[in-house]
Each structure stands twice: as C-alpha cells, then as structure tokens.
Amino acid sequence: MPKTEPSLRPLRGRFAPSPTGSLHFGSLVAALGSWLRARSRNGTWIVRMEDVDSVRSVPGAGESILATLAAFGLDSDEPVVWQGQRLDLYEAAFEQLKTLGAVYPCRCSRNDLAAFDGIHPRQCTRHAGSSPPAWRVRVDDRVIAFTDQVCATVTQQLDREVGDFVVLRADGRFTYQLAVVVDDADQAITEVVRGADLLDSTPRQIFLHELLGLPVPSYLHLPLALDGSGRKLSKQDQARPVDPADPLPALRAALAFLGQRATSGNCVGELLREAIAEFDIEAIPAQPQAHVAMRKD
Ligand code: GLU
C-alpha cells in the first residue's frame, strides 16, 4: 500500500483522453484537476492521446481535443504522445509477460464467460480453432490495496472480483489496461489524476506495474460528472462539448465542481493563475456529482 503514496520526487502528471469525441465537461474536469495539481506543485503536466483502441477512435477528435485544451489554457509541457505510434512498447511489455509465463491464449467469448459472472474460470471451453486467440494475464489471490488521495483506501481481490483479464485482443489490438501501464511508466508519471470511473481499473494496473517491475504512481481520482439521469458524461454518448470560443463559464463551473474557491479572473490566464494559487486538494469532493447545466455569464 505505501507504494502508491505521494513521493518527494518532482511531480509528473498527465491527462490522457481517448479521442472518441469532443472534449465535454467531464473531461474538462479531469484535464483541469490534473493540470492544477501539477501546476500547484511546480510539476510537469503532459497530454497523452489514448488512441490505442483504434476502433473507438474518431478521426479528427484528437486534434479537436488538443485545440480545445489550448483554448482553455491547458497546454502540454512536452510533445503530445499518441499511443498508436508506440505499439512497439506495448509489444515489448507483452513479450515480457509471455516470458514470465504470466499470459495465456484464450478464445472464450463474453457469452462463454456470462455463466461465470464474467470471471474467467481458467478452463477455456474453446481450445481449438484457427482464429487468433486473445491473451489474458493470470491474476493472483492477493488483495490489492492503495490509498487514493481523494477516495481513501481502495481494495480489490483481482481473482474474485475481476478475474484474468485481456491484455491483447484477438484482433491484435493491445488493451487500455496494458497500454496505460506501459505509458505511465515510460513517461515517468508519478501521480495519476483522472475520473473516478477508473477507480476499479487501478488495482489491475497496479498488478501489471508490479508484474512488469515498473514503479507504481500515486493515484487521485476526481468526482465524476453525471448527466441528468445519473450516467457518466461520455464522449461516445456525444455529451455536449465545451465551447472553446467561450472558455470562462466552463472553467468556473469545473473549478466549482472540484470544490475550489471561485476566482475573479476575467481572462483564462488570470483565472488559471488564481486557481493555482488557491488550489486545495482537501476541498475536492469524493463523490460523483450531478452536472448542473452551465449558463452563460
Ligand atoms: N483514456 C481514458 C479516458 O479517456 C483515461 C485513461 C486514464 O486516465 O488512465 O477515459
């Protein structure tokens, strides 16, 4: 557990959107929260475009997200990295897992696993077949625990609650769980700040970090923005994009959403400078919140 606590190393944070649509209020909250945290600690903040899932990626969405971030004053301190250009890194990690004997081929479908509540029984029903298999990593029976800086202690026993999970899909695409671990380590990320929808992915990621012998970052999960019916705002569901031509109302709403004090700045730069000076990690609420529709000032 202590492994995930904040260290004295200079902070390196990141915002890692999937280019599946335009930047909406929920992603702005994650971008701003991670940016403020890094800036308030004189750290480095980088943007990584998570386009490893080429099927879900929407052409042009990555560029649109970057342009919107720039309009909101949130620029990456280092060149933006695109996962689609780093497949050799994921391949190398996958080969390492193979060498460790930690992965096995599997042709079970979701339907096959439904009878086991989605937890892989480790006895594949479809051994034969000419189709390429997916590859699963074998988890163990340890309880993985970490102390989130907003959501307190989180525990998960992977073998009971998640089961052996896929790192390479049958169609040859690496999964988010593998890519995010390789990238966070390769980019020397010390603290992962992101939405609380990824809380239950974190133990899988800690497990992979440890298996691959990579340092484990600390974690801070931000409250989720929900739509009127209580569902997470999502780019794929075409949540209303934030307006790059009018960033101040959305920035103020995102600050309020993160429990931060209102700032009086009348331009993006001024508002952000005040927000850094006032940033209070203790004020970030741990619970998901309903998103209140923004009005123009
Ligand atoms: N790419 C993920 C998303 O857009 C975020 C992953 C992460 O921050 O670890 O939801």
Side-chain angles (χ1 to χ4, degrees):
M1 183 146 54
K3 284 201 189 88
T4 64
E5 278 168 9
S7 71
L8 296 173
R9 281 178 294 169
L11 189 146
R12 276 177 70 81
R14 54 34 162 218
F15 173 55
S18 303
T20 53
S22 305
L23 195 84
H24 57 67
F25 183 74
S27 355
L28 176 65
V29 166
L32 181 65
S34 58
W35 186 89
L36 280 175
R37 173 70 172 157
R39 283 285 172 276
S40 65
R41 297 267 306 266
N42 290 320
T44 303
W45 185 76
I46 56 182
V47 176
R48 176 170 74 231
M49 210 41 83
E50 295 210 321
D51 60 344
V52 72
D53 188 343
S54 49
V55 173
R56 284 175 59 228
S57 296
V58 171
E63 289 77 6
S64 142
I65 290 172
L66 294 175
T68 305
L69 287 173
F72 280 80
L74 309 175
D75 290 301
S76 181
D77 292 329
E78 293 176 8
V80 174
V81 153
W82 295 71
Q83 287 185 325
Q85 296 168 0
R86 297 158 63 81
L87 301 181
D88 49 338
L89 288 179
Y90 315 138
E91 183 70 50
F94 175 67
E95 286 305 320
Q96 192 183 337
L97 292 174
K98 251 180 160 175
T99 306
L100 290 168
V103 286
Y104 61 90
C106 167
R107 291 189 175 81
C108 296
S109 68
R110 274 206 188 140
N111 270 352
D112 295 331
L113 298 185
F116 305 96
D117 287 335
I119 310 273
H120 195 275
R122 291 194 173 144
Q123 284 166 347
C124 294
T125 46
R126 302 168 191 231
H127 291 293
S130 52
S131 62
W135 287 78
R136 288 179 186 273
V137 64
R138 195 176 292 105
V139 298
D140 59 30
D141 59 1
R142 277 176 307 144
V143 172
I144 300 213
F146 67 98
T147 304
D148 187 272
Q149 292 172 66
V150 167
C151 303
T153 297
V154 177
T155 61
Q156 203 175 53
Q157 187 172 339
L158 288 178
D159 66 338
R160 286 204 194 160
E161 297 175 59
V162 177
D164 298 344
F165 58 94
V166 174
V167 287
L168 177 59
R169 292 193 179 87
D171 64 6
R173 284 177 297 137
F174 293 104
T175 61
Y176 156 70
Q177 303 293 355
L178 180 69
V180 75
V181 165
V182 170
D183 284 336
D184 283 337
D186 180 68
Q187 298 190 284
I189 298 301
T190 60
E191 184 182 85
V192 170
V193 179
R194 59 187 177 191
D197 54 322
L198 291 163
L199 256 184
D200 79 336
S201 282
T202 306
R204 259 171 283 179
Q205 294 169 15
I206 292 175
F207 176 78
L208 279 179
H209 274 278
E210 291 182 347
L211 203 54
L212 291 164
L214 302 170
V216 182
S218 60
Y219 293 94
L220 191 166
H221 286 87
L222 300 169
L224 272 192
L226 306 177
D227 66 15
S229 47
R231 290 173 50 209
K232 180 199 160 205
L233 297 182
S234 106
K235 298 191 209 84
Q236 275 176 301
D237 291 344
Q238 267 123 44
R240 187 153 57 102
V242 288
D243 182 0
D246 188 21
L248 289 180
L251 274 177
R252 291 202 181 101
L255 278 177
F257 189 87
L258 289 169
Q260 304 301 302
R261 204 171 308 155
T263 58
S264 54
N266 277 326
C267 68
V268 169
E270 215 177 293
L271 185 148
L272 289 177
R273 266 193 302 281
E274 279 179 47
I276 295 167
E278 297 279 337
F279 182 67
D280 179 7
I281 189 177
E282 304 292 332
I284 300 176
Q287 298 304 319
Q289 297 178 48
H291 168 46
V292 183
M294 272 176 300
R295 279 169 296 133
K296 291 209 167 201
D297 286 17

